[in-house]
Amino acid sequence: MCNAGAVISNWARQDWEAFTAAIAGEEKAMVQAALQRFLLGVAYRQEELHAHELAELLEKTELSGDARAALVDDIEFSLGLLAAYDRLVGEDDEDDDGFAELQGNGREPGPGYLVI
């Protein structure tokens, strides 16, 4: 379910509002949890977060320039990492048992592979 309308979902907006509320509360653990919930939700729903949408969301945070730039970097990196993980897991969806990596399927983990 790809969001082709270039507008993030109401769910994502609600998660972002929870994130901005957590920033106002200044509890670091709550801020991290709210940001993770937003990022995982966007990735799970396979939404595309466009630059103009991110800019609109960032306006609600009232962060300074350096903090805003760091947040943009974190969001970009996290969504990229989640997309790469999704592609990797998507390759293994063809396996019936889901444990091909434990059974020695001949592939060695390389750069960009998440090894748990």
Side-chain angles (χ1 to χ4, degrees):
M1 174 168 92
C2 182
N3 187 0
V7 177
I8 61 171
S9 70
N10 288 332
W11 292 107
R13 289 194 186 276
Q14 289 174 355
D15 289 342
W16 188 264
E17 289 172 10
F19 171 66
T20 57
I23 289 175
E26 298 182 8
E27 257 188 76
K28 188 170 177 88
M30 296 299 290
V31 171
Q32 284 298 108
L35 181 58
Q36 290 171 358
R37 194 169 30 257
F38 169 76
L39 294 169
L40 289 172
V42 167
Y44 176 76
R45 291 183 297 271
Q46 298 178 354
E47 295 177 319
E48 293 180 4
L49 183 60
H50 296 271
H52 70 278
E53 293 169 325
L54 182 57
E56 177 187 320
L57 293 173
L58 288 170
E59 288 177 11
K60 299 177 183 180
T61 63
E62 300 178 9
L63 293 172
S64 68
D66 290 340
R68 182 180 288 206
L71 179 59
V72 169
D73 288 344
D74 289 346
I75 290 171
E76 183 180 13
F77 175 77
S78 299
L79 290 177
L81 185 62
L82 289 167
Y85 178 74
D86 188 47
R87 284 191 303 272
L88 176 65
V89 170
E91 291 175 5
D92 291 338
D93 281 346
E94 298 171 1
D95 299 327
D96 291 338
D97 57 1
F99 295 106
E101 67 275 5
L102 298 177
Q103 297 174 355
N105 62 0
R107 290 191 306 188
E108 289 293 322
Y113 280 69
L114 180 61
V115 180
I116 300 174

